[in-house]
Amino acid sequence: MKLWILLGLLLPFGVFAQLTYEKNWSTALEKAKAKNQLIFIKYYNENCGVCKKTQEILNTPEVAKVYQNNFVCYAINTEKKKPEEEALLQKIGLEFDGVPIFIFVDANQQWVHHSGVKATKERLLQISSDASNPNVQSSKYQDRYQKGERNVTLLFQYAEVLKAQKNYEQLKIVTSELYQYFPKQNLCSNDSYFILKRVVTDTENGFFQYWYQNQKLLEGKETGVMAGKEKENLEKIVLQEIRVFDKSKFTTEKKKKLMDIIQKLGITNQPEVFFE
């Protein structure tokens, strides 16, 4: 077969063999305005194993085609953020604890959608679909919640938004409702544990109380480098509650309970130092 015929046959499959990103933010904005498209931002860092796996999937022809055709693509390396990228993150008012995160904004730099990432083709295609659907975009969660919609999925998704916004008072309310709606027969499940470590920030929450009282059931919930470190999530929640909430409003009983938890988790034998 002649070379030019072979290239012609391969070209349709190779056009999207690798997802390409705009090299500067101003160009991404210009293209988004011209094409009337959302900007897809891959929020990542170079030392993240999941980020690397995610990029491999983004580079597959099927997934690359979806993202390249439907969005203007841009990437923010958390370890090398440019001033204009810092300004964008401040404008949309979201802060993320980890990577990778997929963020979608419009040409006016308004937040439209964001999502945590699971490195599977199905999940990445679902995220692209959700970002394009006004009915399920994360920026609409608050409105749906205020209109009375309640289910485990929405409450968890809205809780993730509130955590990224650092709206801890509202987060406490929503995660309390999330516990109410969660099937109690599934409290020992991986889903329950995932909720605990992703969105719970106070020790009064039902998920915290369940796992605190059943710490032996935590064993085996993590694998790989995190194996055996499950209890650290309980410790993190205690310390986060003390840090993000107004301690001056804690009652004497509340402080006593927190100090008891701190001692029993083995954080320190002098828990009073957190309240000095």
Side-chain angles (χ1 to χ4, degrees), residues 184-211:
K184 301 304 180 288
Q185 67 272 20
N186 296 335
L187 278 172
C188 64
S189 67
N190 290 335
D191 288 340
S192 170
Y193 174 69
F194 186 72
I195 289 171
L196 172 83
K197 70 177 186 176
R198 290 288 296 179
V199 297
V200 174
T201 55
D202 69 280
T203 57
E204 295 173 2
N205 183 272
F207 290 106
F208 178 90
Q209 288 295 321
Y210 174 81
W211 289 108

Side-chain angles (χ1 to χ4, degrees), residues 7-53:
L7 290 174
L9 290 173
L10 292 177
L11 185 58
F13 300 96
V15 169
F16 296 101
Q18 184 167 333
L19 191 68
T20 58
Y21 299 91
E22 298 302 325
K23 296 187 182 302
N24 60 74
W25 183 239
S26 59
T27 301
L29 288 173
E30 290 172 5
K31 288 191 175 182
K33 290 177 182 177
K35 294 182 177 182
N36 192 28
Q37 289 182 328
L38 295 178
I39 302 173
F40 155 58
I41 302 169
K42 182 185 71 169
Y43 190 72
Y44 77 106
N45 69 53
E46 296 170 349
N47 298 314
C48 165
V50 178
C51 297
K52 293 175 182 177
K53 180 62 177 176

